[in-house]
Amino acid sequence: MTRDAGSIYFGTILLERNRWAAGKEPTYLVSDWISRLKRDGFDGIELWENHAVRAGSEELGKLTASVLPISVYNSYISFDDEEEEGRELAAQLIRKLGAKAVKFNFGKEPENLPMYIRNWKQWAERLPGDCRLLCECHPNTVMEEPQAAAAALKAMDRCEAIIHPFHSLGSPRDWFRHLGSAITHAHVQFRPDGKTFQRLSAQPSEAAERLDMLREAGYNGSYTLEFVEGTGQGEEQEKLYEAALDDMRFLREWLAVISK
């Protein structure tokens, strides 16, 4: 069984208004939310990198001592040759925070894939041996299509994959057909029309259909609530958090049913 099977993590990017802004300067302290996240039943945190990179020493200390584990360090480092400094900083923070896994992306140029993999391998050697390596299969990257992603993963020891089963890049069945058990984590953002974020409970039949595809594929990995209803529309933290709790409840209920 996959480590952390059925675990649901809270992505701190979910509440971050500046996630896509120039400079990406954080607008809140994750430590202010940790006790609430634990109380409300999240199993861990997927920490957006700037919530650590731009944190002061006091905040970094609180994150290091978090009562909820930093289950995934959500990194946007580059694997271009000239970005060594950023990769080293990420490695230092992953070790300091005791992150259980790191999410990363490759660039979009297929001709640069050998460079990405070479620099990734060198970087991975600096991480703890038990830190899981999660490559996000994301639009506008060399990993946006199942066949290309599967071919790349063959050259990457220890590497696992993240997919987005509720939007974009085709059916989850296609991803499992090519990547199979390499898929161990899922980013949850429900956009049935391809644009507007909705709650899973808003269209339960379609959400359940996607989840059934995961079940049929034998998926027993973990989930991060990444974006929710209200993302990009005013961004009131409490409303976003309420939507996140609703999505978590939907997932919990589905997981409880299939475990019987």
Side-chain angles (χ1 to χ4, degrees):
M1 179 172 288
T2 304
R3 282 178 290 179
D4 302 325
S7 294
I8 301 176
Y9 309 139
F10 184 85
T12 66
I13 198 171
L14 189 156
L15 298 178
E16 182 49 66
R17 293 179 63 91
N18 279 351
R19 69 181 81 82
W20 298 313
K24 297 181 173 58
E25 189 66 31
T27 59
Y28 78 100
L29 298 176
V30 172
S31 63
D32 290 343
W33 285 79
I34 288 175
S35 61
R36 190 172 179 183
L37 294 170
K38 183 174 178 60
R39 180 199 70 194
D40 290 338
F42 288 99
D43 299 307
I45 293 169
E46 181 165 326
L47 185 72
W48 182 56
E49 65 176 358
N50 277 9
H51 285 145
V53 172
R54 305 285 179 86
S57 58
E58 182 179 357
E59 173 67 0
L60 201 55
K62 290 179 179 179
L63 294 175
T64 302
S66 172
V67 294
L68 267 185
I70 307 301
S71 300
V72 182
Y73 181 87
N74 184 341
S75 172
Y76 288 87
I77 56 174
S78 169
F79 291 93
D80 290 348
D81 284 340
E82 63 271 18
E83 298 297 333
E84 170 67 23
E85 185 177 346
R87 293 193 291 273
E88 177 56 31
L89 176 58
Q92 291 174 10
L93 286 169
I94 289 164
R95 291 194 297 267
K96 182 176 181 63
L97 293 165
K100 307 299 183 184
V102 56
K103 162 260 167 187
F104 64 92
N105 303 96
F106 280 161
K108 63 182 180 180
E109 297 82 8
E111 65 272 18
N112 287 340
L113 182 59
M115 175 182 67
Y116 300 150
I117 293 177
R118 182 184 71 248
N119 288 329
W120 173 82
K121 287 182 175 179
Q122 293 173 357
W123 176 70
E125 290 175 356
R126 303 175 203 166
L127 303 180
D130 60 352
C131 180
R132 296 166 58 200
L133 300 157
L134 308 176
C135 185
E136 185 179 26
C137 298
H138 197 281
N140 299 313
T141 75
V142 294
M143 309 294 277
E144 71 177 352
E145 295 182 355
Q147 285 179 288
L153 287 177
K154 288 180 180 178
M156 301 165 68
D157 294 339
R158 287 180 55 203
C159 193
E160 304 167 26
I162 299 173
I163 65 168
H164 303 75
F166 299 100
H167 88 100
S168 77
L169 302 187
S171 166
R173 289 192 180 99
D174 292 334
W175 285 96
F176 281 100
R177 185 176 301 118
H178 291 283
L179 275 69
S181 60
I183 301 171
T184 61
H185 191 54
H187 277 172
V188 178
Q189 45 169 293
F190 188 37
R191 287 190 281 175
D193 63 357
K195 298 178 182 179
T196 307
F197 297 98
Q198 296 187 22
R199 299 186 185 204
L200 296 172
S201 61
Q203 295 195 39
S205 295
E206 182 164 347
E209 181 181 0
R210 291 288 177 135
L211 287 164
D212 281 340
M213 291 182 195
L214 299 186
R215 176 185 56 78
E216 291 166 4
Y219 180 73
N220 60 2
S222 47
Y223 304 81
T224 288
L225 300 186
E226 187 178 29
F227 303 124
V228 294
E229 178 189 70
T231 299
Q233 299 176 326
E235 300 265 338
E236 294 182 39
Q237 279 194 332
E238 289 298 330
K239 289 185 177 180
L240 291 172
Y241 189 65
E242 179 187 344
L245 292 178
D246 192 67
D247 281 356
M248 180 176 67
R249 284 191 289 267
F250 190 99
L251 285 173
R252 294 278 190 218
E253 289 171 4
W254 178 82
L255 289 167
V257 168
I258 66 168
S259 67
K260 293 180 179 178

